[in-house]
Amino acid sequence: MSSDPKILVIDDEPQIHRFLSAALQAAGFEPLRAETGAEGLREIARAAPAAVVLDLGLPDMDGKSVLTRAREFYDEPIIILSARDRETEKIEALDLGANDYVEKPFGVGELLARLRAALRQRSHSGKPPPPIIRASGLVIDFPKRLVTRGSEPVHLSPKEYDLLARLAQNAGKVMQHRELLRAVWGPAHVEDTQYLRVFIGQLRQKIEPDPSAPKLILTEPGVGYRFIADEPDG
């Protein structure tokens, strides 16, 4: 019996299963397969996979219904695959409990990176965030409340630091606009997305090597932002 982490793919497209099965095996996972929502729910309950990759367009039920029912008994990462590019679909899936989403057509490298990030995030849940996070030469020292690039301090306002800290402590995860606004500015500001954009722009000017081509704080159009940290040691 394989000891590799099980990844369940719920999708009705045979070609998706063919190339994802090979890619998951090569990445050290054991792929499991379901082609309908009902089969997927049964397989989640039976196999207790380490994570689920879920298509929204299934033949027997909407993927969001599968997501809602799965979240009644399953706490591990669920990554959405979808050909639907509407912002409302992405936001609704995240609000229903998805950990991330990838649009079809997608690169397998991107999907595997999102999967690894979701699994890391899950393994750290319930634990305090690491005291120091590194990202492409940027160092965030939380105990000292200090941000440096190389040996030079990066001077941030209190709100800029709070915003960066919230993003960095959830590295790899999509942070929705409303989630960030509520956490940093409070519930009265959850609709102030333009305000958030201004602060993200200010942060990028201070921490990105090239603010016009950001590599640390990525925009997820219409949804939010994602911070990209270095792989942890070990």
Coordinates of all heavy atoms in Angstrom, one line a residue, residues 25-57:
Q25 N 1.7 11.6 -9.6 CA 2.6 10.5 -9.3 C 4.0 11.0 -9.3 O 4.8 10.7 -8.4 CB 2.4 9.3 -10.2 CG 1.1 8.6 -9.9 CD 0.9 7.4 -10.9 OE1 1.2 7.5 -12.1 NE2 0.4 6.3 -10.4
A26 N 4.4 11.7 -10.4 CA 5.8 12.2 -10.5 C 6.1 13.2 -9.4 O 7.3 13.3 -9.0 CB 5.9 12.9 -11.8
A27 N 5.1 13.9 -8.8 CA 5.3 14.8 -7.7 C 5.3 14.1 -6.3 O 5.4 14.8 -5.3 CB 4.3 15.9 -7.8
G28 N 5.1 12.8 -6.3 CA 5.1 12.1 -5.0 C 3.8 11.9 -4.3 O 3.7 11.7 -3.1
F29 N 2.7 12.1 -5.1 CA 1.3 11.9 -4.6 C 0.7 10.6 -5.2 O 1.2 10.1 -6.2 CB 0.4 13.1 -4.9 CG 0.9 14.4 -4.4 CD1 1.4 15.4 -5.2 CD2 0.8 14.6 -3.0 CE1 1.9 16.6 -4.7 CE2 1.2 15.9 -2.5 CZ 1.7 16.8 -3.3
E30 N -0.3 10.1 -4.5 CA -1.1 9.0 -5.0 C -2.4 9.5 -5.5 O -3.2 10.0 -4.8 CB -1.4 8.0 -3.9 CG -2.2 6.8 -4.4 CD -2.6 5.8 -3.3 OE1 -2.0 5.9 -2.2 OE2 -3.5 5.0 -3.5
P31 N -2.6 9.5 -6.9 CA -3.8 10.1 -7.4 C -5.0 9.2 -7.2 O -4.9 8.0 -7.4 CB -3.5 10.3 -8.9 CG -2.5 9.3 -9.2 CD -1.7 9.1 -7.9
L32 N -6.2 9.8 -6.9 CA -7.4 9.1 -6.8 C -8.4 9.8 -7.8 O -8.2 10.9 -8.1 CB -8.0 9.1 -5.4 CG -7.2 8.5 -4.3 CD1 -7.9 8.7 -2.9 CD2 -6.9 7.1 -4.5
R33 N -9.4 9.0 -8.3 CA -10.2 9.5 -9.4 C -11.7 9.4 -9.1 O -12.2 8.4 -8.5 CB -9.9 8.8 -10.7 CG -10.7 9.1 -11.8 CD -10.2 8.3 -13.1 NE -11.0 8.6 -14.3 CZ -10.5 8.4 -15.5 NH1 -9.3 7.9 -15.7 NH2 -11.3 8.7 -16.5
A34 N -12.4 10.5 -9.4 CA -13.9 10.5 -9.4 C -14.4 11.3 -10.6 O -13.8 12.3 -10.9 CB -14.4 11.0 -8.1
E35 N -15.5 10.9 -11.2 CA -16.0 11.6 -12.4 C -17.3 12.3 -12.2 O -17.8 13.0 -13.1 CB -16.1 10.6 -13.6 CG -14.7 10.0 -13.9 CD -14.8 9.1 -15.1 OE1 -15.9 8.8 -15.6 OE2 -13.7 8.6 -15.5
T36 N -17.9 12.1 -11.0 CA -19.2 12.8 -10.7 C -19.1 13.3 -9.3 O -18.2 12.9 -8.5 CB -20.4 11.9 -10.8 OG1 -20.3 10.9 -9.7 CG2 -20.5 11.2 -12.1
G37 N -20.0 14.2 -9.0 CA -20.0 14.8 -7.6 C -20.3 13.8 -6.6 O -19.7 13.7 -5.5
A38 N -21.3 12.9 -6.9 CA -21.7 11.9 -5.9 C -20.6 10.9 -5.6 O -20.3 10.5 -4.5 CB -22.9 11.2 -6.4
E39 N -19.9 10.5 -6.7 CA -18.8 9.6 -6.6 C -17.6 10.3 -5.8 O -17.0 9.7 -4.9 CB -18.2 9.2 -8.0 CG -17.1 8.2 -7.9 CD -16.5 7.9 -9.3 OE1 -17.1 8.4 -10.3 OE2 -15.6 7.1 -9.4
G40 N -17.4 11.6 -6.1 CA -16.4 12.3 -5.4 C -16.7 12.4 -3.9 O -15.7 12.2 -3.1
L41 N -17.9 12.7 -3.5 CA -18.2 12.7 -2.1 C -18.0 11.4 -1.4 O -17.5 11.3 -0.2 CB -19.7 13.2 -1.9 CG -19.9 14.7 -2.2 CD1 -21.4 15.0 -2.3 CD2 -19.3 15.6 -1.1
R42 N -18.4 10.3 -2.1 CA -18.2 9.0 -1.5 C -16.7 8.7 -1.3 O -16.3 8.1 -0.3 CB -18.8 7.9 -2.4 CG -20.3 7.9 -2.3 CD -20.9 6.6 -3.0 NE -20.5 6.4 -4.4 CZ -21.2 6.9 -5.4 NH1 -22.4 7.5 -5.1 NH2 -20.8 6.7 -6.6
E43 N -15.9 9.1 -2.3 CA -14.5 8.8 -2.3 C -13.8 9.7 -1.2 O -12.8 9.2 -0.5 CB -13.8 9.1 -3.6 CG -12.4 8.6 -3.8 CD -12.4 7.0 -3.8 OE1 -13.4 6.4 -3.7 OE2 -11.2 6.5 -4.0
I44 N -14.2 10.9 -1.0 CA -13.7 11.7 0.1 C -13.9 11.0 1.5 O -13.0 10.9 2.3 CB -14.3 13.1 0.1 CG1 -13.9 13.9 -1.1 CG2 -13.9 13.9 1.4 CD1 -14.6 15.2 -1.3
A45 N -15.2 10.5 1.7 CA -15.5 9.9 2.9 C -14.7 8.6 3.1 O -14.3 8.2 4.2 CB -17.0 9.6 3.0
R46 N -14.5 7.8 2.0 CA -13.9 6.5 2.1 C -12.4 6.6 2.2 O -11.8 6.0 3.1 CB -14.2 5.7 0.8 CG -13.6 4.3 0.8 CD -13.5 3.7 -0.6 NE -12.6 4.4 -1.5 CZ -11.2 4.2 -1.5 NH1 -10.7 3.3 -0.6 NH2 -10.4 4.8 -2.3
A47 N -11.7 7.5 1.4 CA -10.3 7.5 1.3 C -9.6 8.6 2.2 O -8.4 8.5 2.4 CB -9.8 7.7 -0.1
A48 N -10.4 9.6 2.6 CA -9.8 10.7 3.4 C -8.5 11.2 2.8 O -7.5 11.2 3.4 CB -9.6 10.2 4.9
P49 N -8.6 11.7 1.6 CA -7.4 12.2 0.9 C -6.8 13.4 1.6 O -7.4 14.1 2.3 CB -7.9 12.6 -0.5 CG -9.4 12.9 -0.3 CD -9.9 12.0 0.8
A50 N -5.5 13.6 1.3 CA -4.8 14.8 1.8 C -5.3 16.1 1.2 O -5.2 17.1 1.9 CB -3.3 14.6 1.6
A51 N -5.8 16.0 0.0 CA -6.4 17.2 -0.6 C -7.3 16.7 -1.8 O -7.2 15.6 -2.2 CB -5.3 18.1 -1.1
V52 N -8.2 17.7 -2.2 CA -9.1 17.4 -3.3 C -8.9 18.5 -4.4 O -8.8 19.7 -4.0 CB -10.6 17.4 -2.8 CG1 -11.5 17.3 -4.0 CG2 -10.8 16.2 -1.8
V53 N -8.9 18.0 -5.6 CA -9.0 19.0 -6.8 C -10.3 18.8 -7.4 O -10.7 17.7 -7.8 CB -7.9 18.7 -7.8 CG1 -8.0 19.6 -9.0 CG2 -6.5 18.8 -7.1
L54 N -11.1 19.8 -7.4 CA -12.6 19.7 -7.7 C -13.0 20.6 -8.9 O -12.8 21.8 -8.8 CB -13.4 20.1 -6.5 CG -14.9 20.3 -6.6 CD1 -15.6 19.0 -7.0 CD2 -15.5 20.8 -5.3
D55 N -13.5 20.0 -9.9 CA -14.0 20.8 -11.1 C -15.4 21.3 -10.7 O -16.2 20.6 -10.1 CB -14.1 19.8 -12.3 CG -14.6 20.6 -13.5 OD1 -14.4 21.8 -13.6 OD2 -15.2 19.9 -14.4
L56 N -15.7 22.5 -11.1 CA -17.1 23.0 -10.8 C -18.1 22.5 -11.8 O -19.3 22.5 -11.5 CB -17.0 24.6 -10.9 CG -16.3 25.3 -9.8 CD1 -16.5 26.8 -9.9 CD2 -16.8 24.9 -8.4
G57 N -17.7 22.1 -13.0 CA -18.7 21.7 -14.0 C -18.8 20.2 -14.1 O -18.2 19.5 -15.0

